[in-house]
């Protein structure tokens, strides 16, 4: 039994070492990756449901490393734990503003670009100077930039978050509540925050055509949002049935594989150049 215990400890320590080394290597690679320009933005169109036109786009970061394209789920947590997230956020905001302005300068119809920020950006209005700087340098008008924040990001430091959001609003930037429905708050509570838009999480959208109770909840969310003057965007819409249903119950915008996954810049430009109706 003693030996067994020791073996377990040995293998545990070995795994821990590997884990730690892997993380250290990943952190190192990410740090230099950011400096060397290995980050890339992908773009996912957001459609006006009724008119079926692209009205917005969400910028989603990717890391091109060792000939692989790495998804944010694999490196954002490490970036957050190591503080690299500040450099990453800064790069994303500058690049998104620069790109949106470049599209306008090419004569493409203007769309709103949405960026995802990390939680720390809402503490003591950290993101405000960053965003101001990015708008100034790019020349993008503030009304074309949208900032997405999750419920947990704003609930944790309510006063700080409110202050940050008010500053962004006063600059003319729109705010979207990301992943709505995955937290605990009611819509009326959310009204304390100056959100322009609610992004209804994929988990709400998934069964909407089969689950009558889920559909009823969704209908009331959409109508309440409407009453409160907030737009609704359905995320993770994958089928035409979902698209049709969401449109019928008054959801304003649709984002999901049914129209397009997140795609590289050139591919998104093709979408913008084409006759944008579906
Ligand atoms: P999110 O902000 O909720 O982004 C939506 C995610 O859903 C994206 O994953 C997108 O590719 C995926 N998606 C969109 N439509 C569909 C669909 O129809 N079906 C399915 N199954 N998935 C769909 P992605 O790009 O891997 O991003 C994951 C998360 O990483 C994001 O969730 C966001 O929280 C975070 N993230 C992405 N880019 C950034 C960034 O630039 N900065 C920060 N701080 N976080 C980011
Ligand atoms: Ca988002
Ligand atoms: Ca989301
Ligand atoms: Ca989501």
């Amino acid at each position: 039994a003693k030996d067994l215990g020791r073996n377990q400890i040995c293998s545990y320590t070995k795994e821990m070492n590997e884990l730690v080394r892997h993380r250290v290597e990943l952190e190192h690679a990410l740090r230099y990756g950011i400096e060397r320009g290995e980050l890339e933005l992908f773009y996912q169109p957001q459609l006006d449901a009724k008119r079926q036109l692209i009205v917005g786009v969400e910028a989603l970061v990717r890391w091109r490393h060792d000939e692989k394209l790495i998804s944010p789920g694999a490196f954002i947590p490490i970036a957050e734990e190591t503080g690299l997230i500040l450099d990453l956020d800064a790069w994303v905001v500058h690049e998104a503003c620069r790109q949106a302005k470049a599209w306008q300068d090419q004569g493409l119809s203007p769309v709103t670009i949405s960026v995802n920020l990390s939680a720390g950006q809402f503490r003591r209005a950290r993101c405000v100077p960053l965003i101001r700087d990015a708008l100034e340098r790019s020349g993008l008008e503030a009304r074309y930039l949208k900032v997405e924040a999750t419920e947990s990001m704003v609930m944790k430091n309510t006063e700080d978050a409110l202050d940050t959001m008010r500053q962004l609003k006063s600059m003319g930037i729109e705010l979207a509540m990301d992943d709505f429905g995955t937290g605990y708050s009611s819509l009326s509570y959310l009204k304390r925050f100056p959100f322009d838009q609610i992004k209804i999480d994929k988990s709400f959208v998934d069964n909407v055509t089969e689950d009558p109770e889920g559909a009823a909840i969704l209908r009331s969310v959409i109508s309440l949002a409407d009453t409160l003057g907030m737009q609704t965007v359905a995320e993770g819409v994958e089928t035409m049935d979902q698209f049709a249903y969401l449109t019928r119950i008054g959801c304003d915008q649709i984002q999901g594989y049914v129209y397009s996954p997140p795609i590289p810049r050139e591919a998104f430009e093709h979408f913008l150049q084409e006759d944008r109706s579906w």
Side-chain angles (χ1 to χ4, degrees), residues 19-63:
L19 205 68
V20 169
R21 207 185 40 161
H22 181 66
R23 288 187 53 90
V24 169
E25 278 169 9
L26 208 60
E27 178 192 347
H28 185 80
L30 182 58
R31 185 181 303 277
Y32 289 98
I34 296 172
E35 286 173 13
R36 282 198 223 105
E38 292 178 1
L39 294 184
E40 233 174 83
L41 289 183
F42 270 37
Y43 301 93
Q44 188 174 33
Q46 300 172 321
L47 288 194
D48 177 283
K50 288 218 179 69
R51 295 180 298 150
Q52 302 190 355
L53 289 176
I54 299 176
V55 289
V57 59
E58 180 172 4
L60 294 153
V61 73
R62 301 289 182 263
W63 178 20

Side-chain angles (χ1 to χ4, degrees), residues 78-202:
I78 289 164
E80 281 176 336
E81 283 164 34
T82 57
L84 284 173
I85 193 72
L86 295 179
D87 289 341
L88 188 146
D89 283 340
W91 182 83
V92 167
V93 171
H94 279 278
E95 178 61 13
C97 291
R98 188 200 63 73
Q99 186 60 71
K101 181 65 164 73
W103 287 328
Q104 292 180 13
D105 291 346
Q106 288 169 42
L108 300 168
S109 341
V111 292
T112 305
I113 194 157
S114 298
V115 292
N116 295 279
L117 289 183
S118 60
Q121 297 290 354
F122 286 82
R123 255 170 262 137
R124 276 175 267 123
R126 193 175 231 157
C127 61
V128 171
L130 162 64
I131 290 174
R132 190 170 285 132
D133 186 39
L135 290 174
E136 248 169 49
R137 280 207 220 175
S138 63
L140 183 74
E141 283 176 61
R143 65 190 167 115
Y144 293 115
L145 182 64
K146 193 173 290 175
V147 168
E148 298 194 359
T150 63
E151 203 169 316
S152 66
M153 280 162 63
V154 300
M155 297 301 161
K156 258 181 221 151
N157 279 290
T158 310
E159 287 312 312
D160 261 19
L162 264 175
D163 182 49
T164 309
M165 294 170 84
R166 287 192 190 119
Q167 289 192 49
L168 293 176
K169 287 297 300 173
S170 74
M171 289 163 66
I173 291 159
E174 291 206 334
L175 300 171
M177 148 114 325
D178 207 351
D179 302 339
F180 180 80
T182 57
Y184 299 97
S185 299
S186 68
L187 264 176
S188 53
Y189 183 65
L190 284 179
K191 192 50 193 166
R192 288 183 51 200
F193 298 92
F195 284 111
D196 303 284
Q197 200 175 61
I198 294 165
K199 300 191 75 176
I200 300 164
D201 192 70
K202 181 177 189 309

Side-chain angles (χ1 to χ4, degrees), residues 199-236:
K199 300 191 75 176
I200 300 164
D201 192 70
K202 181 177 189 309
S203 55
F204 262 113
V205 170
D206 280 341
N207 298 316
V208 78
T209 52
E210 291 116 52
D211 167 19
E213 282 173 10
I217 293 171
L218 201 61
R219 279 199 306 275
S220 64
V221 165
I222 288 171
S223 88
L224 197 51
D226 195 41
T227 310
L228 296 172
M230 293 186 257
Q231 281 196 321
T232 46
V233 183
E235 287 195 287

Side-chain angles (χ1 to χ4, degrees), residues 236-250:
V237 181
E238 294 184 344
T239 69
M240 282 307 291
D241 282 351
Q242 290 167 351
F243 191 123
Y245 185 81
L246 288 158
T247 306
R248 191 143 44 83
I249 64 176

